[in-house]
Amino acid sequence: MASGNVESLDQLPMALLATIMTKLDISSICSLAVTCRNCNSCASHILSFLPNFHILDISPSMELIKPLLPPNPYLKSLKLDCCQLNDSSVELLLRPSLQELCLRNCADFSGKLLSEIGSRCKDVRSLYLGSVAEKSGRAIHTSDLKELLSGCTQLEAISLMFDISLFLRHNVARIWALASEKLTSLEVGYVSSVTVTELLSPNVGPHQCLNQVRPSILPGIHKLSLFVDYITDTMVGTISKGLVLLTHLELRDAPLIEPRVTFDLTNSGLQQINHHGRLKHLSLVRSQEFLITYFKRVNDLGVLLMADECENIESICLGGFCRVTDTGFKTILHSCSNLYKLKVSHGSQLTDLVFHDIAATSLSLTHVSLRWCNLLTNQAIRSLVCNIGLKVLDLRSCKNLGDEALPAIGSLCELKTLLLDGSDITDVGIANLRYGVFSSLVSLSVRGCKKLTDKCLSVLFNGSSKLELQELDLSNLPNLSDNGVLALAKSQVPISELRMRHCPLIGDTSVMALASMRVDGDRGHGSSLRLLDLYNCGGITQLSFRWLKKPYFPRLRWLGVTGSVNRDIVDALARNRPFMHVACCGEELGTDPLNNLDGSYVHNYEELDELEQWLQEGEGESGEEEMEDADDDADVLFE
């Protein structure tokens, strides 16, 4: 049957085969390319008029990507991980036909990338640039941004995910005045609050008298997302008054020192939010990245004043409001009748009373996150689950939650994401998830729930191969051993991301079990995993690295290990699997959350495996010899 299918594809007219391939994404085309010669030839041809080219799960080199991007006047959308690329690839990547451009991990590019986009991609509508010029020796100049903004006259959305404050010290408003009048969405990786205030403040035009003040620039902005040094009253007021059409505001800061009153957010600043009444989504977060600090000048009064102006808001995220009590948070729940997403972090005075009478409201919450709210108990969760449509429940670092909350959570049959990190749950309690909610979960995290043992996996996964679960975090469980992982492997649940860092009893047996695991008769061993984090697992030795080589774990893209096991072996493994990111310094693993910039782009990991195969075939004989040398080096190390 299989050979007949291949023969029939071989006999199809090339024109018909090409028509079929134009309906597919790049990964699916690569899947077909390795099935027969006709498909391979047609795939090479189809790349000359493919409208979309998206590769975000691997970071190809210039040698690999060049044959996949021939001249193509029909290319509209390009999304690429540029970790291995630099300025020399500008001419290859930037096409005049592009309307959507997403380039992640551009650390080895200089500011030339911005100016070249402005001169080459004049019709681009959506632009995302990540980590530009972050490597030592790279620089961005004001003129680069000028050329970008003046050249891309059709821009509607721009995301500059790097520090733009370094080259915007003078004439910031004049530079951004060059931006497209169609711009509705602006996202910036880092900028100072003073710069933001200068940018959006009413100003004097170039040919106007001092008494002729014009409105703020960027008047068409609907969505604004900024990471700043300090969230201040002045900046918040300027944004709220200057951006008349604003519906989506996200502000996050990470102070290096405790802010003074003039560089902080107070009740007065909160009162200015939603000046024009159009705001639907609000996020104000003080990060603890550099300093443990909070919004100490905001209390319940500020939240009450804000709630009066935000009664139509649909999503709210508040992080670091340590002086806001139940009164303030409760006001939000009772005033904002359209609210479906509630996120609170470091709510040190938030207690069960906030949710005591939530059933009496008209709310239909679907996303709730209550991280580091240590006064919450099981009773709050019992009250909260009256929102039976909950899809995301994040209770990380709520240390007073225990087994009594789990029966209530188990009744949430639409729940997709459940995060219980650091809670006081046990094997007995987690059994309450076995029926009902567990069949719908896509992501489950019990990181740091130190009372859990191997039994929790036996209870959850025994006879449960038909589950939707894709992401599982079992990190920092001191009593989790290889026996628990064996139970997981036997279940054949197609998990794609498995984290088990800081588990002292996890060893080589776990790796062998996962490597040998097959899902639904799949031809590959360990085939569903694309992320495996084994950092600081006490029993991992050189033996595990034999099982981490090909052909095992064919779709693995992220691997966390302890480099001290043997750095030479780790390096040999990285050479053996050039498309896999091997981390050995303890960094958290995972693809960028902005990988899926559009909801229509769905990862198919089997297709990504074929993509890797085709890319490697494109390397030619020299590439094959290099891979063989890497294998030989690894074999010597393993002997």
Side-chain angles (χ1 to χ4, degrees):
M1 181 69 71
S3 60
N5 287 339
V6 173
E7 289 173 1
S8 64
L9 284 174
D10 253 341
Q11 294 169 1
L12 282 176
M14 292 293 283
L16 178 57
L17 200 55
T19 301
I20 294 172
M21 285 191 174
T22 58
K23 310 298 182 183
L24 306 176
D25 60 19
I26 182 65
S27 299
S28 301
I29 290 171
C30 292
S31 295
L32 277 178
V34 297
T35 60
C36 65
R37 289 187 177 181
N38 268 5
C39 287
N40 192 295
S41 175
C42 190
S44 299
H45 175 64
I46 203 75
L47 293 172
S48 298
F49 52 89
L50 196 69
N52 302 316
F53 189 94
H54 300 167
I55 301 180
L56 289 168
D57 270 27
I58 61 174
S59 52
S61 63
M62 181 68 168
E63 291 72 24
L64 291 178
I65 201 66
K66 191 171 183 179
L68 298 181
L69 280 173
N72 178 1
Y74 304 99
L75 187 64
K76 300 296 184 185
S77 176
L78 175 63
K79 298 180 182 181
L80 200 61
D81 188 318
C82 299
C83 189
Q84 297 191 60
L85 303 177
N86 53 36
D87 285 345
S88 64
S89 60
V90 162
E91 187 172 352
L92 175 68
L93 301 179
L94 305 184
R95 313 291 178 90
S97 59
L98 286 173
Q99 295 184 4
E100 181 181 29
L101 180 60
C102 169
L103 302 178
R104 296 175 54 238
N105 297 323
C106 301
D108 210 14
F109 285 81
S110 68
K112 176 185 175 184
L113 177 63
L114 277 68
S115 59
E116 290 291 338
I117 291 173
S119 61
R120 295 172 183 265
C121 306
K122 295 185 178 297
D123 287 333
V124 70
R125 267 74 165 169
S126 175
L127 176 63
Y128 175 92
L129 299 174
S131 308
V132 177
E134 288 190 355
K135 278 194 176 179
S136 178
R138 305 294 184 268
I140 305 176
H141 302 290
T142 301
S143 58
D144 297 322
L145 184 63
K146 281 184 178 179
E147 288 209 35
L148 172 67
L149 295 177
S150 61
C152 299
T153 57
Q154 305 300 312
L155 261 182
E156 298 172 4
I158 183 169
S159 297
L160 303 178
M161 303 310 292
F162 50 91
D163 186 351
I164 71 168
S165 62
L166 299 177
F167 61 102
L168 284 181
R169 295 173 180 170
H170 305 290
N171 298 323
V172 58
R174 294 183 185 276
I175 295 171
W176 280 94
L178 300 172
S180 165
E181 294 180 355
K182 300 178 180 180
L183 192 65
T184 61
S185 177
L186 174 61
E187 186 175 14
V188 176
Y190 182 81
V191 63
S192 72
S193 59
V194 173
T195 300
V196 175
T197 302
E198 292 176 357
L199 171 63
L200 298 176
S201 294
N203 50 81
V204 178
H207 305 295
Q208 293 174 306
C209 301
L210 290 175
N211 60 348
Q212 292 180 297
V213 179
R214 64 181 181 182
S216 165
I217 64 171
L218 306 178
I221 291 292
H222 289 68
K223 178 181 179 180
L224 183 66
S225 180
L226 305 174
F227 182 22
V228 297
D229 50 357
Y230 301 99
I231 297 175
T232 69
D233 287 351
T234 303
M235 182 184 70
V236 168
T238 303
I239 292 172
S240 298
K241 294 174 183 176
L243 301 181
V244 178
L245 302 178
L246 193 66
T247 61
H248 192 128
L249 176 61
E250 295 182 3
L251 300 176
R252 177 172 171 258
D253 70 5
L256 292 172
I257 59 174
E258 193 66 42
R260 302 189 305 273
V261 64
T262 53
F263 280 91
D264 204 1
L265 182 67
T266 71
N267 292 339
S268 176
L270 277 188
Q271 188 177 6
Q272 299 179 69
I273 287 176
N274 202 23
H275 184 76
H276 298 284
R278 292 186 171 90
L279 204 61
K280 300 293 184 183
H281 306 277
L282 174 65
S283 178
L284 299 171
V285 176
R286 175 147 290 173
S287 170
Q288 315 288 311
E289 190 172 342
F290 305 114
L291 179 71
I292 298 178
T293 182
Y294 304 92
F295 291 113
K296 298 178 181 178
R297 296 179 174 91
V298 173
N299 55 31
D300 291 338
L301 176 60
V303 175
L304 291 171
L305 295 171
M306 180 186 73
D308 285 342
E309 300 295 330
C310 298
E311 58 183 16
N312 293 320
I313 207 157
E314 299 173 0
S315 169
I316 190 163
C317 176
L318 300 176
F321 289 83
C322 66
R323 294 188 61 201
V324 177
T325 71
D326 293 340
T327 301
F329 291 118
K330 204 167 185 178
T331 299
I332 293 173
L333 295 181
H334 287 265
S335 299
C336 307
S337 58
N338 297 325
L339 194 70
Y340 70 87
K341 181 184 292 186
L342 173 68
K343 300 178 70 174
V344 178
S345 61
H346 294 288
S348 56
Q349 298 196 52
L350 187 151
T351 76
D352 298 347
L353 290 176
V354 171
F355 305 105
H356 175 68
D357 57 352
I358 191 172
T361 70
S362 59
L363 295 179
S364 296
L365 297 175
T366 60
H367 294 65
V368 173
S369 175
L370 302 168
R371 292 191 69 183
W372 294 294
C373 297
N374 291 323
L375 297 183
L376 287 180
T377 72
N378 301 316
Q379 183 57 47
I381 309 307
R382 292 196 201 98
S383 302
L384 190 58
V385 297
C386 68
N387 290 272
I388 58 174
L390 273 174
K391 291 180 171 56
V392 176
L393 184 56
D394 182 356
L395 301 171
R396 285 176 287 177
S397 300
C398 293
K399 298 179 180 179
N400 290 321
L401 297 183
D403 289 346
E404 293 179 14
L406 295 177
I409 295 174
S411 67
L412 297 171
C413 296
E414 296 183 30
L415 197 64
K416 298 296 182 183
T417 299
L418 177 60
L419 310 177
L420 297 169
D421 302 21
S423 60
D424 198 36
I425 60 176
T426 68
D427 297 334
V428 174
I430 208 168
N432 289 285
L433 303 180
R434 175 66 178 82
Y435 302 101
V437 69
F438 197 58
S439 61
S440 69
L441 283 181
V442 174
S443 178
L444 173 65
S445 178
V446 290
R447 175 182 293 210
C449 299
K450 298 189 176 182
K451 291 184 178 180
L452 294 179
T453 69
D454 295 334
K455 187 177 180 180
C456 75
L457 294 181
S458 301
V459 169
L460 290 176
F461 291 98
N462 185 26
S464 303
S465 60
K466 302 301 181 182
L467 296 175
E468 296 185 29
L469 195 68
Q470 296 177 18
E471 301 172 9
L472 181 61
D473 193 338
L474 304 171
S475 300
N476 198 17
L477 300 185
N479 298 310
L480 180 67
S481 72
D482 294 333
N483 291 330
V485 179
L486 284 169
L488 174 61
K490 287 178 182 177
S491 72
Q492 298 186 345
V493 175
I495 292 174
S496 60
E497 298 187 9
L498 178 60
R499 294 173 171 84
M500 297 188 294
R501 53 172 41 220
H502 302 296
C503 292
L505 302 182
I506 293 294
D508 298 332
T509 302
S510 292
V511 176
M512 289 187 279
L514 294 169
S516 304
M517 177 176 157
R518 293 194 180 196
V519 176
D520 293 333
D522 199 319
R523 58 187 170 83
H525 292 281
S527 56
S528 65
L529 280 173
R530 65 184 180 96
L531 182 151
L532 179 60
D533 194 348
L534 301 169
Y535 179 75
N536 201 27
C537 286
I540 300 296
T541 70
Q542 296 181 17
L543 177 61
S544 288
F545 287 82
R546 285 182 177 271
W547 296 86
L548 291 167
K549 290 176 58 181
K550 293 180 178 178
Y552 303 104
F553 302 107
R555 293 172 183 78
L556 201 61
R557 293 289 176 266
W558 294 83
L559 174 66
V561 292
T562 304
S564 59
V565 170
N566 189 316
R567 187 53 196 247
D568 291 335
I569 294 180
V570 173
D571 291 342
L573 178 64
R575 292 195 301 273
N576 177 258
R577 307 194 67 160
F579 294 107
M580 183 171 71
H581 176 76
V582 181
C584 55
C585 298
E587 58 267 45
E588 291 285 350
L589 301 185
T591 51
D592 193 301
L594 288 164
N595 263 8
N596 291 332
L597 296 186
D598 58 76
S600 61
Y601 183 59
V602 179
H603 294 292
N604 185 310
Y605 300 111
E606 182 171 353
E607 292 168 353
L608 286 171
D609 185 39
E610 305 291 359
L611 171 61
E612 178 178 338
Q613 181 179 344
W614 199 35
L615 285 173
Q616 288 176 330
E617 286 176 357
E619 288 184 273
E621 293 183 5
S622 61
E624 290 174 6
E625 291 173 2
E626 192 173 312
M627 287 296 293
E628 288 173 6
D629 290 342
D631 278 337
D632 292 341
D633 291 341
D635 288 337
V636 170
L637 288 168
F638 293 136
E639 289 175 356

